[in-house]
Amino acid sequence: MVANISFPRFLKLGPGSVESLGEVLTDLNIERPLLVTDAFMVSNGSADRLLKIVAAAGKKAALFSETVPDPTTDSLQAGLDALTAHDADSIIGFGGGSPMDTAKALAVLFKQGGVMRDFKAPRVYAGPALPIIAIPTTAGSGSEATQFTIITDVASDEKMLCPGLSFLPIASIVDSDLTMSMPPRLTADTGVDALTHAIEAYVSKKANPISDGLALSAMKTIGAYLLRAYRDGSDREAREQMMHASTQAGMAFSNASVCLVHGMSRPIGAHFHVAHGLSNAMLLPAITAFSIPGARDRYADCARQLGAADRRDSDEAASHKLVDFIDTLCVDVEVPSPRTFGIDESRWEELIPLMAEQALASGSPSNNPVVPSAQEIVELYRRVYRS
C-alpha cells in the first residue's frame, strides 16, 4: 500500500508562538485574513489580541465570531457573507475544534461553491480553497494538522466527515499558553480525544511508519501528562506537553485515518449534542476491547507506550492492561456514560439503527482492526449505554 503523507507547510510551536502570527502572514504573502473564532475568544480578549498582532504586521483583518459548537451546514452562511464583505484572501481558524472546522469548511466553500454534502466522504477534495492558518486553543482535536473537517447536515442530523488536502491548514501556530485557562472538563475531553486519535491511528489498517512514530510519541506523552493537566490546570509543563501530543496525534490520524470509535462517535454528537471528545471517551473502553483481537500486538504497543504495561508483559497481557488503563483513566477524569450524561434510553434505542448506519457510511469503521457488521455496532451502542 502506498501511504500519502501530508502536513502543514510549516508550524510554529511553543509557548508564546502566537506572537509570530504577523511573520506567518508576511511569509505567506497574506494581506486580508478573516479571523474565524467564537464568542468566548472575543469575550476573554484573545481575539482582540490576535487582531492587534495582525494590524501591527500591516495587514487588514476582519473578525467573524459567530461559529457554533459542532458547526452545521446552516451556521456557515454568515461566515461566507463575512468573507465576501471583507474580500478576504485567507482564513485564520482560532479556537477549539469547532472554529477550526468552520474555518476549513468556509475556505473550501468560498472558493469552490456548492454545499458541504458535496464534499462528504468518500469524496476526497483537493481543489481550490483559501489558505488556512490554524491556531488551536485546546489540546485535543489536532485539527491544526489534519486534512479533515466535520460539519453536521441539519437536514439529516448527520455529522459529515469531509476529507482532502484542501482542508489542511497551510500553516499552524501551536502555543500552549493559549490552553492555560481550559477548565478540567474540557481538559479531560480533549485529552482523551487526543489519546483516541493516537490509538486509532496506530491500529488503523492505513497505518504507516510515519504515522506510527507520531502516534507512539503522542501516547507516551499523554500517558505521562494528561492526568497532571486535568488535576492542575496551572501546570505549564503538562499543558505544553499535552499540546505537543495533541498535534502529533492529529498528524498521525490525518495520515492514517481513524477507526470505529470515531465512526460511532459522530452520530452520538449529532443526535445528542455530546461534545466530540466526550463521545469518544464514552466509547473508547468498549471499542478497544472489541477491536483487540484484530491487532493484539499493536494494542499491546499502545499499553506499553502509555505506561500501562512493560516489555515483560506478553501481548495478550499488555492488551488487557490497556483496557484496564483506559477504564481507570475515564473514571479518573469523570467520563460519564450516555445514561449518566442524561441521554434518554428509549431515544437512544430508537436511534441506534440510524446511528449504526451513519457510522458505517462514514468509512471509518472499515479502517478498524476488526471491521464490524451493522449488528455488531448496534450491540456496541447498547453496551456503551449500559456501561
Side-chain angles (χ1 to χ4, degrees), residues 218-240:
M219 280 184 262
K220 185 174 182 179
T221 302
I222 292 166
Y225 290 100
L226 174 52
L227 280 177
R228 275 180 54 176
Y230 173 72
R231 290 168 174 163
D232 179 7
S234 66
D235 185 334
R236 302 190 76 86
E237 181 186 15
R239 291 295 196 191
E240 183 174 4

Side-chain angles (χ1 to χ4, degrees), residues 61-134:
L63 175 67
F64 176 71
S65 60
E66 297 172 36
T67 65
V68 298
D70 297 318
T72 68
T73 47
D74 283 356
S75 73
L76 298 175
Q77 186 57 53
L80 291 171
D81 293 342
L83 284 166
T84 300
H86 185 52
D87 190 24
D89 63 0
S90 58
I91 295 180
I92 301 170
F94 179 50
S98 293
M100 285 192 285
D101 277 347
T102 301
K104 291 177 175 187
L106 293 176
V108 166
L109 290 177
F110 185 70
K111 293 294 284 188
Q112 180 63 21
V115 295
M116 282 311 298
R117 181 159 286 277
D118 298 337
F119 304 97
K120 174 190 168 185
R123 182 181 182 185
V124 178
Y125 179 71
L130 288 176
I132 306 157
I133 298 97

Side-chain angles (χ1 to χ4, degrees), residues 95-356:
S98 293
M100 285 192 285
D101 277 347
T102 301
K104 291 177 175 187
L106 293 176
V108 166
L109 290 177
F110 185 70
K111 293 294 284 188
Q112 180 63 21
V115 295
M116 282 311 298
R117 181 159 286 277
D118 298 337
F119 304 97
K120 174 190 168 185
R123 182 181 182 185
V124 178
Y125 179 71
L130 288 176
I132 306 157
I133 298 97
I135 307 176
T137 61
T138 62
S141 77
S143 188
E144 69 276 5
T146 73
Q147 50 189 308
F148 306 110
T149 191
I150 307 291
I151 302 295
T152 299
D153 187 339
V154 295
S156 62
D157 253 357
E158 177 187 3
K159 271 194 171 185
M160 299 182 295
L161 172 66
C162 303
L165 285 177
S166 299
F167 297 107
L168 179 69
I170 193 171
S172 299
I173 300 175
V174 182
D175 184 341
S176 56
D177 284 349
L178 298 173
T179 70
M180 293 301 297
S181 62
M182 287 171 61
R185 180 73 266 144
L186 184 59
T187 300
D189 294 348
T190 55
V192 178
D193 192 20
L195 175 59
T196 306
H197 293 155
I199 291 174
E200 292 211 300
Y202 190 69
V203 303
S204 168
K205 291 180 182 293
K206 295 181 179 178
N208 58 75
I210 303 300
S211 63
D212 282 354
L214 290 162
L216 290 169
S217 179
M219 280 184 262
K220 185 174 182 179
T221 302
I222 292 166
Y225 290 100
L226 174 52
L227 280 177
R228 275 180 54 176
Y230 173 72
R231 290 168 174 163
D232 179 7
S234 66
D235 185 334
R236 302 190 76 86
E237 181 186 15
R239 291 295 196 191
E240 183 174 4
Q241 292 296 326
M242 284 301 300
M243 198 67 158
H244 296 170
S246 172
T247 298
Q248 286 182 313
M251 289 177 167
F253 89 81
S254 182
N255 290 288
S257 295
V258 286
C259 304
L260 181 56
V261 174
H262 276 74
M264 291 178 62
S265 174
R266 296 185 199 105
I268 295 174
H271 294 290
F272 297 104
H273 307 292
V274 179
H276 174 68
L278 180 55
S279 58
N280 277 347
M282 289 174 174
L283 291 162
L284 186 59
I287 304 309
T288 300
F290 169 81
S291 305
I292 280 173
R296 192 175 299 278
D297 58 337
R298 292 228 142 202
Y299 282 107
D301 289 343
C302 295
R304 296 181 186 112
Q305 287 298 109
L306 287 163
D310 61 37
R311 301 298 167 188
R312 295 169 295 182
D313 289 307
S314 67
D315 285 353
E316 182 171 2
S319 59
H320 285 302
K321 287 183 176 182
L322 175 64
V323 177
D324 291 341
F325 175 91
I326 295 170
D327 274 328
T328 301
L329 176 64
C330 288
V331 170
D332 287 343
V333 300
E334 301 180 77
V335 174
S337 67
R339 183 199 300 270
T340 57
F341 184 77
I343 295 174
D344 178 72
E345 185 170 8
S346 61
R347 181 63 174 158
W348 178 271
E349 186 67 27
E350 176 189 348
L351 284 171
I352 281 178
L354 175 59
M355 292 197 297

Side-chain angles (χ1 to χ4, degrees), residues 21 33-37 46-48 50-51 61-65 90-94 135:
L21 174 58
L34 180 71
L35 179 62
V36 174
T37 189
S46 296
D48 187 57
L50 261 63
L51 290 171
L63 175 67
F64 176 71
S65 60
S90 58
I91 295 180
I92 301 170
F94 179 50
I135 307 176

